[in-house]
Amino acid sequence: MARVRYGARTEAEIGAARTASSRLPDIWSTGVVAVWESDPDAVAAVLPPPLKLTGRPLVRVNISKVDLPGYPLGAGSFAVAAAHDGVEGWYPLVMPMTHERALIGGREVFGEPKKLGEVTVERDGLVVRAALARHGIEFVEVRGAVSGALPLPEPTQKTDFYFKFLPAVDGSGFDADPVLVHCVRNEKVRRLERITGDVVLRESMYDPVADLPVRELVGITLGEKTTDQKGRVVERVSGQALLPYIHQRYDDPQQILDGPPEGSV
């Protein structure tokens, strides 16, 4: 009988897949990073417990093109500064990806708030433009011009915070208490330039980042970097406390309560 491809894989096949994923070479991305101070009350409002404000109400947007062999990827992240248990990092609100593969792995393994979207990173001479868009709305745009090279930073470690959960089958909350994930990234930079420009936030009912306005621009850079990442569950959190924030993950929060119609497949 011909192999049934939906059938179980052998231990050797599973092991080979794990080995291949653990031996990936450095993958370099080219991207724009903008950081600004926003309204502290607005930043506090989007942080689910037990995340807390840091000393500055910072917002960061990363917009990158990733050089995956034969599989170029656009990747973005819009995040606010947060702290948990003495660790400072970033809490992403939305992470647009241009391919399903990057979306599924991040959401299912780490609990990342990834969604399919459009990612633009363009350079024409000294002029740079980067943007994130979904549903035909370009909700973040960073634009400017290269104004000089910056010294390369030492390799650094950064932390992102994610909540991993499964909505309950009966629509009552969660199947089990959600978990808080610390995702630690080791980052190396091989090129870095300063951008003189601005950040434009546009109204979108799907990605309401305009609620986190640019009060004071900290800086914009264009760089080439590579990162690896490892995540770990640090604690279980109250489902009741997280439930008011669950809409951050979905374009239509009602969809987590929608079961398939009777008789559907």
Side-chain angles (χ1 to χ4, degrees):
M1 184 180 71
R3 179 173 183 178
V4 178
R5 286 167 290 175
Y6 272 125
R9 291 191 172 181
T10 66
E11 289 186 11
E13 288 172 320
I14 295 172
R18 288 175 177 162
T19 300
S21 65
S22 68
R23 293 178 179 173
L24 289 175
D26 287 346
I27 298 173
W28 294 89
S29 65
T30 299
V32 170
V33 178
V35 179
W36 63 91
E37 284 198 10
S38 191
D39 183 333
D41 292 336
V43 174
V46 303
L47 292 175
L51 300 183
K52 300 182 182 300
L53 283 171
T54 63
R56 297 177 73 186
L58 296 178
V59 180
R60 181 194 69 187
V61 63
N62 291 19
I63 307 173
S64 300
K65 288 298 181 86
V66 187
D67 297 328
L68 293 176
Y71 194 78
L73 170 69
S77 174
F78 188 101
V80 298
H84 173 252
D85 198 22
V87 177
E88 292 196 0
W90 298 92
Y91 173 61
L93 296 170
V94 60
M95 300 176 69
M97 300 284 135
T98 56
H99 292 303
E100 186 180 32
R101 181 176 180 180
L103 182 152
I104 291 174
R107 286 178 69 102
E108 295 190 4
V109 177
F110 293 101
E112 294 173 326
K114 289 184 173 179
K115 300 177 181 180
L116 285 175
E118 299 171 23
V119 178
T120 301
V121 180
E122 301 171 331
R123 178 172 183 171
D124 184 5
L126 297 179
V127 178
V128 175
R129 178 180 178 274
L132 300 176
R134 298 181 63 252
H135 300 289
I137 302 169
E138 204 170 72
F139 59 92
V140 181
E141 182 184 15
V142 182
R143 56 198 185 187
V146 175
S147 55
L150 291 169
L152 296 183
E154 292 295 321
T156 187
Q157 195 172 82
K158 298 179 179 180
T159 301
D160 279 357
F161 304 115
Y162 305 122
F163 292 94
K164 184 176 179 180
F165 57 80
L166 284 174
V169 172
D170 62 5
S172 64
F174 303 101
D175 278 334
D177 284 338
V179 296
L180 175 60
V181 175
H182 284 199
C183 184
V184 177
R185 290 184 168 84
N186 295 297
E187 180 180 285
K188 294 186 294 184
V189 179
R190 69 182 180 187
R191 183 177 181 181
L192 193 64
E193 295 173 292
R194 180 187 297 108
I195 303 295
T196 300
D198 59 4
V199 177
V200 179
L201 304 178
R202 296 188 178 91
E203 178 58 36
S204 170
M205 64 180 290
Y206 304 103
D207 303 288
V209 299
D211 293 345
L212 295 155
V214 181
R215 291 287 175 84
E216 181 180 348
L217 187 61
V218 175
I220 305 173
T221 59
L222 173 67
E224 296 178 6
K225 66 182 179 181
T226 184
T227 61
D228 61 31
Q229 68 181 46
K230 291 184 178 180
R232 65 184 182 94
V233 173
V234 294
E235 66 174 90
R236 288 201 172 270
V237 301
S238 164
Q240 184 176 4
L242 183 61
L243 194 60
Y245 299 87
I246 194 175
H247 64 281
Q248 295 174 345
R249 193 66 56 88
Y250 302 97
D251 288 344
D252 178 8
Q254 186 62 32
Q255 74 188 61
I256 65 170
L257 306 178
D258 293 341
E262 287 189 17
S264 68
V265 176

